[in-house]
Amino acid sequence: MDVPEPVRRFLEGDRESWLRVEEYRDADSLVVKAQVPGIDPDKDADITLTGNELQITVRHEEKTEHKDKEGYRSEFRHGTFSRTVSLPAAVDPGDVTASYTDGILEIRVPVPEQGPREGRKVLVTRV
């Protein structure tokens, strides 16, 4: 049985190390969005392009304080979250753009138009 990647990671207990992303085509670009509120994109986000793989890594630290009549409580949550997105073709890293608005990291990757792929018969030779 083929288990989807997010389900497999959840079942294996790896819920904190990956980012959820949204991917779609917009004209001649692949758009990848990740919801990462509360980060400083200059310090906390790394985007790397290697061949036809886009690697997104985000470091996040969240501090929550609760004060009540009984005392003081503090919780810290931090970690490094990453996701690799496969691209349909290798892309020039200089053409990739990224922006961060209202907690959403958006990466735009230009994808060259691909014509219809024609099948080609491969001949088998006897040896």
Side-chain angles (χ1 to χ4, degrees), residues 31-49:
V31 179
V32 179
K33 292 183 177 182
Q35 187 176 21
V36 287
I39 68 162
D40 179 349
D42 295 329
K43 296 186 304 185
D44 300 331
D46 290 320
I47 301 165
T48 308
L49 189 63

Side-chain angles (χ1 to χ4, degrees), residues 19-114:
L19 292 172
R20 292 184 181 109
V21 297
E22 176 180 272
E23 298 176 44
Y24 59 91
R25 289 289 296 254
D26 181 23
D28 61 348
S29 294
L30 173 68
V31 179
V32 179
K33 292 183 177 182
Q35 187 176 21
V36 287
I39 68 162
D40 179 349
D42 295 329
K43 296 186 304 185
D44 300 331
D46 290 320
I47 301 165
T48 308
L49 189 63
T50 305
N52 67 335
E53 290 190 335
L54 178 70
Q55 175 74 39
I56 306 165
T57 303
V58 176
R59 288 167 297 286
H60 186 258
E61 183 171 316
E62 182 177 301
K63 179 181 176 182
T64 306
E65 295 180 2
H66 302 278
K67 294 184 181 182
D68 58 28
K69 295 178 184 176
E70 299 297 318
Y72 174 78
R73 177 180 166 168
S74 177
E75 294 181 359
F76 292 87
R77 187 173 70 129
H78 63 278
T80 300
F81 309 94
S82 64
R83 183 69 177 263
T84 300
V85 176
S86 294
L87 304 175
V91 176
D92 182 357
D95 294 337
V96 177
T97 60
S99 62
Y100 182 76
T101 306
D102 297 330
I104 304 293
L105 178 64
E106 179 180 295
I107 303 155
R108 289 187 166 265
V109 181
V111 179
E113 266 311 305
Q114 294 181 345

